[in-house]
Amino acid sequence: MSGPVLILGAASGIARAVARSFAEAGHPIQLAARNSARLEEDAADLRTRYGVEVTLHDFDALTLDSHAAFVEGLPVLPEVAVCAVGAMGEQAQSEADPQAAAHVMRSNFEGPASVLAHLANAMEARGSGSIVGISSVAGDRGRASNYVYGSAKAGFTAFLSGLRNRLAKKGVHVVTVLPGFVRTAMLDGMDTPGPLTAEPAEVGAAVLKAVEKQKNVIYTRPIWGVVMAVIRNIPEPVFKKTSL
Amino acid sequence: MSLISGWGRFPKAECKIVSARTQADVEAAIATAALIARGNGRAYGDAAMNRGQTLAMTGMDRMLSFEDGVLVAEAGVLLADIIHTLLPRGWFPMVTPGTKYVSLGGAIAADVHGKNHHLDGSFRSCVDWVDVMGPDGTVTRATPGDDLFDWTLGGMGLTGVILRAQIRLRKVETMYIAQETRALTSLQDTLDAFAETQDAPYSVAWIDCSDGPHHGHTLLLLGRHATLEDLPSRWRPFDVRQKRKLPVPFGAPPFLFRGLWLRALTGIYWRRGAKRAGHALVDWDSYFYPLDALSNWNRLYGRNGFLQFQCALPEEASAAGLAELMDTIAASQTGSVLSVLKRFGSQSGHFSFPMPGYTLALDFPASERSLELMSRLDEITLAHGGRFYLAKDARMPEAVAKADPRAKAYAAMRKQAGLTDRFTSMQSERLGL
Ligand SMILES: Cc1cc2nc3c(=O)[nH]c(=O)nc-3n(C[C@H](O)[C@H](O)[C@H](O)COP(=O)(O)OP(=O)(O)OC[C@H]3O[C@@H](n4cnc5c(N)ncnc54)[C@H](O)[C@@H]3O)c2cc1C
């Protein structure tokens, strides 16, 4: 396997790590994000470190009507498409202002689902490919502290699971990635428990492995599987009294 | 706010961490409040800590170009990363400290030295230029000969934020080091051996200070990059794989670092080394970074952390000064498990640590007793015209730091250039820099 890998939302910390893992394994990389010129340094980094070919592409997850043309305009339909698009937003702001909440929902669900739908159809027509959606453990159960973000991720997780189901017989594989805490700028100022916090490079390696081994759903630190199983199974009457 | 510390885990403080992944992030941080840049946190004390704003630079870790041994990279890239990328292509850092987990920016800011200082100088000798962002967000490319370059190399992050740099690497034929170990039994023998092996590209001595200068058991390790001809026929010249790191889960009991126990430990270490004295081929990782094999060995000292003491003594005063330091340490019985003695060659730069002569690095468990001992070591060092390494310091009083006339000049320059209210660390405040 050494076909091109498309990274959507390539400016994020996780995306940079994922791009490095695939480039190290010898894949050419297509980096896509808003104002892609600012990814020039990331492209230089991938070329310098791994000697692979890198191309830059303008892409805006929120402009749904541009997605068909974006996919058609890629120099070649990628072998693997990784969607790392997302925006955490601020729960307090999302509560106070439904417009802000809608922005979070669109960035984490509507936009990613739209672009992946186009890519999925193209890969289905070709009969091969892998799609990776970076969702979140926050989608496993809505919690008071970030349910707007969580609900969008829950939608995205369900979308990916349905897509996997649909494409399983068509040669296209779908991976759902559920990162817990990842040490990126998003966590600045938060003290997260060490054993639950992954380095971006760890996530990159886990995504590469999941694609190579055709895994379906992965938690980037396996311990999160246990943690979320517990959280999902707390009965609602008890859960609503907690502050997780 | 996050509770952080340097590698010695002393002191600890609640600091506001802000991460930079791009130049724009750095600019925004500088515009917000006074700050200090932080690399990979391998300085022992409080050099990379600022309660108000500590700017984490490891997210700026892109390698921008590499050609014929010349690398342009962002300041947050780790030496380990550079080695794993470029050693398989036959290139190794010109100068490296005793851990590969330092950032390029940290290596530049401390102007680190390696086992080859006597021949090749400090890190600055491989730096072609550095891009430094100043208090108003302007980026200046400083090159050797510029004042900004001379203050930045060794300036401990207090001239601005280093964004990226161009460095030159060394062409090597293999990833192995031809090592020669000599076992010695006194300070004088060790100094004689250093003098006699001037031409060895790399040299370092592990010396037992708990026994005083006349019985200072020492292992002197000499090295040079092995050539293809040195290798047994079936060895491959480059086989750079990440080794598994062994974690140190909890602190060792503190009594291990005192009196007889300590002597027993260092005695065992010496005898083991002495038995293996002679020539050997060792890989780059074991030769340059023996401590990196334990991922968090700094926990060995337990919850309170530990303190390092590293001084440099001028050539002519080295023998007497080192003897007095070792006498004092032996008498205190608060010994350093393994002390490192290195030879320094000539040095330029406005505020870098090395000076022609010798440098001794010691570590002690953080305690009142150690602090008292270290004040005595300060006095001995100053009496012999020596100076101290800021990358290892966590506790020096201002008066001791200011005994180095260069510190006053640095503080004056900082003030005049308007740097003192934008770039400050707990260390710079403690030392009045
Ligand atoms: C096991 C071990 C062995 C060591 N051996 C040696 C040795 O042999 N020789 C030697 O010289 N040193 C040695 N050191 C010390 C180490 O090399 C230095 O402390 C180095 O500066 C650490 O780099 P860092 O990236 O971790 O920086 P940090 O510890 O995070 O910061 C150190 C200094 O660099 C500044 N800095 C970091 N990044 C930037 C930036 N982008 N812009 C401006 N300033 C910046 C900080 O403000 C601070 O003053 C050793 C340390 C350890 C833990």
Side-chain angles (χ1 to χ4, degrees):
Chain A
M1 178 178 89
S2 61
V5 176
L6 168 68
I7 314 276
L8 297 153
S12 80
I14 291 184
R16 190 187 281 176
V18 172
R20 281 183 184 168
S21 289
F22 280 95
E24 187 169 18
H27 296 268
I29 304 289
Q30 304 168 338
L31 297 178
R34 256 172 313 175
N35 180 13
S36 68
R38 75 199 153 109
L39 300 177
E40 218 34 277
E41 281 149 337
D42 290 279
D45 179 63
L46 295 170
R47 292 182 194 116
T48 305
R49 285 176 188 246
Y50 311 113
V52 297
E53 207 181 297
V54 186
T55 51
L56 300 182
H57 309 276
D58 278 317
F59 164 70
D60 186 344
L62 293 179
T63 330
L64 304 187
D65 57 10
S66 70
H67 291 177
F70 165 76
V71 171
E72 264 164 39
L74 289 172
V76 17
L77 183 65
E79 177 182 320
V80 182
V82 181
C83 180
V85 173
M88 180 90 98
E90 287 226 14
Q91 173 67 19
Q93 206 193 343
S94 295
E95 284 170 22
D97 174 8
Q99 286 283 354
H103 180 263
V104 171
M105 296 179 205
R106 286 195 194 115
S107 309
N108 291 294
F109 177 33
E110 193 184 42
S114 159
V115 68
L116 289 189
H118 288 288
L119 284 159
N121 292 344
M123 286 182 181
E124 182 182 15
R126 180 178 65 187
S128 72
S130 296
I131 285 175
V132 180
I134 313 272
S135 190
S136 168
V137 294
D140 281 10
R141 188 161 193 180
R143 293 173 298 120
S145 57
N146 73 344
Y147 65 85
V148 172
Y149 173 76
S151 68
K153 287 297 194 185
F156 189 44
T157 300
F159 178 87
L160 292 167
S161 124
L163 198 60
R164 171 164 46 247
N165 193 205
R166 172 190 138 200
L167 297 176
K169 303 127 215 144
K170 304 290 173 64
V172 181
H173 183 66
V174 178
V175 184
T176 307
V177 181
L178 300 173
F181 303 127
V182 184
R183 209 175 302 286
T184 60
M186 242 194 210
L187 284 195
D188 273 359
M190 288 201 243
D191 257 335
T192 57
L196 292 179
T197 310
E199 294 301 323
E202 238 178 289
V203 180
V207 171
L208 173 66
K209 195 169 137 207
V211 169
E212 286 176 347
K213 301 237 149 106
Q214 303 233 330
K215 294 264 172 62
N216 299 314
V217 182
I218 61 159
Y219 289 92
T220 53
R221 280 230 163 158
I223 177 83
W224 276 101
V226 180
V227 173
M228 293 320 295
V230 171
I231 292 182
R232 268 196 315 269
N233 288 301
I234 300 173
E236 202 61 30
V238 180
F239 193 74
K240 71 182 183 191
K241 293 188 192 127
T242 64
S243 48
L244 282 166
Chain B
M1 300 301 260
S2 308
L3 187 66
I4 60 167
S5 69
W7 185 245
R9 309 176 86 214
F10 175 93
K12 297 189 172 97
E14 290 281 350
C15 297
K16 180 173 184 222
I17 309 268
V18 173
S19 307
R21 296 186 66 251
T22 63
Q23 176 167 328
D25 296 341
V26 178
E27 202 175 332
I30 292 178
T32 308
L35 58 77
I36 190 69
R38 182 177 176 92
N40 208 30
R42 251 52 178 187
Y44 281 73
D46 49 4
M49 295 163 71
N50 179 315
R51 290 196 173 83
Q53 200 177 198
T54 298
L55 185 65
M57 293 296 291
T58 45
M60 277 186 80
D61 67 342
R62 293 168 294 196
M63 298 190 201
L64 302 171
S65 67
F66 180 75
E67 224 187 307
D68 293 335
V70 180
L71 173 73
V72 177
E74 288 183 320
V77 69
L78 301 188
L79 228 44
D81 238 10
I82 295 179
I83 295 169
H84 280 285
T85 307
L86 301 176
L87 184 54
R89 299 182 214 169
W91 299 92
F92 194 76
M94 202 87 91
V95 171
T96 172
T99 169
K100 58 186 178 290
Y101 299 114
V102 300
S103 68
L104 179 58
I108 291 171
D111 192 10
V112 298
H113 54 268
K115 297 177 171 71
N116 54 343
H117 191 277
H118 59 292
L119 291 184
D120 299 321
S122 58
F123 202 77
R124 62 176 280 133
S125 59
C126 72
V127 180
D128 288 336
W129 51 257
V130 272
D131 277 352
V132 184
M133 187 176 281
D136 58 357
T138 0
V139 180
T140 310
R141 180 157 297 184
T143 52
D146 300 350
D147 255 355
L148 180 62
F149 187 89
D150 275 326
W151 285 123
T152 297
L153 281 273
M156 301 306 288
L158 299 169
T159 58
V161 178
I162 299 162
L163 299 174
R164 58 187 83 78
Q166 177 169 308
I167 62 169
R168 274 166 287 115
L169 287 92
R170 173 193 309 278
K171 185 89 192 139
V172 293
E173 283 184 23
T174 75
M175 62 166 218
Y176 293 94
I177 297 292
Q179 175 183 276
E180 183 195 342
T181 306
R182 297 192 188 182
L184 306 153
T185 46
S186 76
L187 173 65
Q188 195 50 54
D189 286 355
T190 303
L191 296 181
D192 290 347
F194 264 116
E196 186 194 312
T197 57
Q198 287 268 30
D199 301 338
Y202 298 105
S203 59
V204 63
W206 296 88
I207 187 164
D208 179 358
C209 289
S210 63
D211 229 6
H214 304 298
H215 305 102
H217 285 58
T218 301
L219 295 176
L220 176 64
L221 303 180
L222 306 171
R224 64 174 171 80
H225 289 281
T227 60
L228 282 171
E229 279 169 13
D230 293 321
L231 290 200
S233 60
R234 274 193 306 170
W235 290 24
R236 282 182 294 150
F238 299 104
D239 185 5
V240 187
R241 271 174 304 197
Q242 296 270 12
K243 284 191 198 163
R244 269 260 309 282
K245 288 187 276 176
L246 305 169
V248 177
F250 42 74
F255 66 80
L256 273 183
F257 299 99
R258 285 201 290 271
L260 285 175
W261 279 100
L262 183 70
R263 290 223 199 157
L265 276 182
T266 48
I268 292 168
Y269 180 81
W270 187 84
R271 278 195 300 277
R272 242 185 87 212
K275 237 184 263 166
R276 298 187 194 156
H279 294 267
L281 274 182
V282 294
D283 69 72
W284 61 281
D285 213 3
S286 335
Y287 182 80
F288 288 105
Y289 314 111
L291 290 171
D292 287 347
L294 298 171
S295 65
N296 44 5
W297 60 265
N298 53 344
R299 293 204 193 167
L300 272 174
Y301 284 87
R303 188 168 306 145
N304 295 339
F306 65 113
L307 298 159
Q308 271 249 339
F309 175 91
Q310 184 168 2
C311 65
L313 292 169
E315 186 82 57
E316 57 294 352
S318 286
L322 289 169
E324 204 174 329
L325 290 169
M326 288 173 72
D327 268 332
T328 310
I329 293 162
S332 79
Q333 300 213 346
T334 305
S336 165
V337 183
L338 290 173
S339 315
V340 180
L341 182 66
K342 271 187 257 196
R343 196 172 165 69
F344 275 161
S346 63
Q347 177 69 22
S348 44
H350 291 347
F351 198 45
S352 293
F353 165 64
M355 58 162 73
Y358 285 87
T359 178
L360 182 66
L362 311 152
D363 41 48
F364 304 101
S367 70
E368 281 304 317
R369 237 168 103 111
S370 302
L371 287 169
E372 270 166 43
L373 169 63
M374 290 166 90
S375 330
R376 264 176 294 146
L377 303 182
D378 288 348
E379 284 163 27
I380 298 169
T381 305
L382 290 180
H384 289 85
R387 60 168 78 132
F388 308 91
Y389 193 15
L390 294 182
K392 302 284 180 77
D393 161 63
R395 50 93 226 168
M396 235 194 292
E398 176 165 355
V400 170
K402 290 278 176 69
D404 180 347
R406 306 174 315 156
K408 286 183 197 140
Y410 191 31
M413 181 287 290
R414 294 227 311 135
K415 191 149 196 200
Q416 208 222 329
L419 299 170
T420 36
D421 52 0
R422 275 295 104 170
F423 305 111
T424 59
S425 59
M426 284 170 57
Q427 182 178 59
S428 77
E429 281 167 8
R430 179 164 50 81
L431 302 181
L433 291 175

